[in-house]
Amino acid sequence: MEKNYPNWMATCLKLAAVYNILWGAWVVIWPNTFFEWTGMEPLQHPTIWQGTGMIVGVYGLGYWWASYNPLKHWPIVAVGFLGKIFGPLGFLFNFLILKEIPFEFSYTLYTNDLIWWVPFFLILKQVHIQTQWQLR
């Protein structure tokens, strides 16, 4: 099969994969560490946070698999991109409107979500240009 995407796409998805797997494992194995480092109150039920770590780690596996052909496996990238949009929106809602979450929680957004917006968007833009969102 002919490669029809630039190398940076695969590299980006592999970096996202490694980051997500490591971050997810960190949260599962040491669920209170983030809260200790930021001075936030520890969780009463860390298993919920560990579940988040498991989900993030599984996203990492998806990104790794998608890296083999980002234009073919674009639904994985799209689901990840949506999560990277909705996560910060959820934070803003809980921080600004409900006032139920401390500002320090935003630290997770920088590396988990915000830095991936541009590359994931560019991958999905290329999907639109080259495939018009076809599932092949």
Side-chain angles (χ1 to χ4, degrees):
M1 181 196 291
E2 179 183 320
K3 181 181 165 206
N4 58 348
Y5 58 89
N7 286 337
W8 71 263
M9 290 182 183
T11 301
C12 172
L13 289 170
K14 280 188 169 57
L15 289 171
V18 170
Y19 171 81
N20 278 45
I21 291 167
L22 291 175
W23 191 90
W26 172 60
V27 167
V28 168
I29 297 167
W30 299 287
N32 291 318
T33 305
F34 172 75
F35 298 92
E36 292 166 0
W37 287 356
T38 58
M40 288 192 289
E41 202 170 306
L43 297 172
Q44 290 182 0
H45 303 286
T47 53
I48 295 169
W49 186 238
Q50 289 172 307
T52 301
M54 182 273 306
I55 292 166
V56 170
V58 169
Y59 269 85
L61 295 174
Y63 298 151
W64 189 269
W65 295 325
S67 75
Y68 288 100
N69 190 335
L71 301 183
K72 179 180 179 183
H73 302 296
W74 68 264
I76 295 170
V77 179
V79 168
F81 185 63
L82 289 172
K84 292 173 186 322
I85 297 294
F86 292 134
L89 288 176
F91 167 78
L92 289 172
F93 180 77
N94 282 283
F95 177 71
L96 296 173
I97 297 170
L98 300 180
K99 301 189 186 311
E100 292 182 351
I101 195 167
F103 176 79
E104 290 80 7
F105 198 81
S106 72
Y107 302 156
T108 63
L109 303 178
Y110 308 127
T111 54
N112 285 14
D113 301 308
L114 302 179
I115 67 168
W116 305 107
W117 280 7
V118 171
F120 278 44
F121 172 80
L122 292 174
I123 291 169
L124 293 172
K125 180 180 176 191
Q126 199 62 35
V127 167
H128 175 71
I129 292 168
Q130 289 193 29
T131 74
Q132 286 71 50
W133 307 104
Q134 292 176 4
L135 295 172
R136 320 184 238 150

